[in-house]
């Protein structure tokens, strides 16, 4: 039986308090995970982060962090890479304070590089990050590079696997909407999800996964816009995803990135619970 948690990407829609108290609200909603958003910079204080950690532990809500969007470890500009390195160092430090089990980030863009060249630049930047964190004594973190939604970005599934295979303190984030958009809609049935899990297990030897899910609109270039889960005009399909995570035997955290972050996370949890209940009746 899988251990599956659902939660929002950021503060719940109707939550008016401080981020350090968000886990209490999330628990009361019936959810079990929270992805703190540092998308425009790591601004949380050490004290607030420590209080967030305590709140998460008191409520058994699993915390992750999304590092700033302005990260490009494969840039053709060295100053951009240096700022990206500093942002990820800040994110790792704050993740340690708040007890975040994953620090999610987007690796970068190809720009004028080939995939291999962009990967080499990314890996070189990561080596610098790891060296600096060791000097700073930061140890309790796991970077989680995310599958990216635009075809101009470094971060297809194979590239994320390659990054995670190359470094300690790295585990993947699979954004299933991004995989769907980047492949121009090639996730259509449960077997398509199963192939992703099997590939991760075969190549990384893992049976746990941090993930993102929403419905998404895409163009030939990839990701365009996130949509609500009950909008059936867009994919990837939700029901076969729920069935796969319920039966695959993995420990999975599903962070909802739809416009209705916590409300749609509850939609997913309800569907998941109903599927398990129906199984027991058979």
């Amino acid at each position: 039986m899988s251990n599956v948690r659902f939660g929002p990407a950021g503060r719940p829609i109707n939550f008016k308090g401080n981020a350090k108290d968000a886990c209490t609200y999330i628990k009361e909603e019936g959810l079990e995970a929270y992805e703190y958003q540092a998308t425009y910079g790591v601004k949380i204080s050490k004290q607030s982060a420590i209080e967030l950690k305590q709140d998460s532990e008191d409520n058994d809500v699993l915390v992750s962090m999304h590092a700033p969007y302005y990260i490009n470890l494969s840039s053709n500009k060295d100053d951009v890479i240096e700022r990206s390195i500093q942002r990820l160092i800040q994110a790792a430090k704050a993740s340690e304070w708040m007890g975040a089990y994953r620090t999610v980030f987007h690796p970068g863009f190809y720009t004028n590089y080939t995939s291999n060249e962009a990967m080499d630049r990314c890996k070189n930047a990561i080596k610098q990050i790891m060296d600096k964190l060791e000097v700073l004594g930061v140890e309790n973190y796991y970077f989680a590079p995310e599958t990216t939604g635009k075809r101009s970005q470094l971060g297809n599934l194979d590239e994320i696997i390659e990054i995670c295979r190359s470094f300690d303190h790295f585990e993947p984030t699979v954004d299933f909407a991004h995989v769907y958009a980047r492949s121009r809609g090639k996730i259509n049935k449960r077997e398509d999800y199963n192939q992703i899990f099997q590939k991760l297990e075969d190549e990384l030897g893992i049976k746990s996964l941090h993930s993102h899910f929403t419905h998404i609109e895409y163009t030939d270039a990839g990701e365009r816009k996130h949509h609500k889960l009950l909008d059936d005009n867009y994919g990837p399909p939700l029901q076969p995803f729920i069935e796969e995570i319920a039966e695959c035997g993995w420990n999975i955290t599903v962070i909802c990135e739809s416009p209705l972050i916590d409300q749609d996370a509850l939609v997913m949890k309800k569907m998941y619970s109903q599927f398990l209940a129906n199984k027991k009746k058979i």
Side-chain angles (χ1 to χ4, degrees), residues 76-114:
N76 56 2
K77 298 179 180 179
D78 290 342
D79 61 324
V80 171
I81 291 180
E82 181 56 36
R83 288 195 296 272
S84 299
I85 288 171
Q86 292 306 316
R87 288 179 178 125
L88 279 173
I89 289 171
Q90 292 170 354
K93 289 168 64 177
S95 289
E96 185 173 68
W97 297 337
M98 70 176 62
Y101 95 116
R102 295 288 185 271
T103 305
V104 180
F105 72 97
H106 303 155
F109 289 82
Y110 299 125
T111 57
N112 57 331
Y113 295 120
T114 66

Side-chain angles (χ1 to χ4, degrees), residues 12 26 44 83 86 114 177 215 251 267:
I26 287 167
I44 192 168
R83 288 195 296 272
Q86 292 306 316
T114 66
H215 280 170
N251 296 323
V267 168

Side-chain angles (χ1 to χ4, degrees), residues 16 29 116 122 135-136 142 158 162 166 182 200 212 233 235 244 264 276:
K16 305 303 181 184
E29 283 191 299
N116 287 339
C122 179
V135 170
L136 291 169
Y142 263 93
D158 287 327
E162 173 62 23
S166 301
R182 191 168 181 138
L200 291 167
H212 293 167
N233 293 315
E244 179 61 25
D264 273 351
L276 294 181

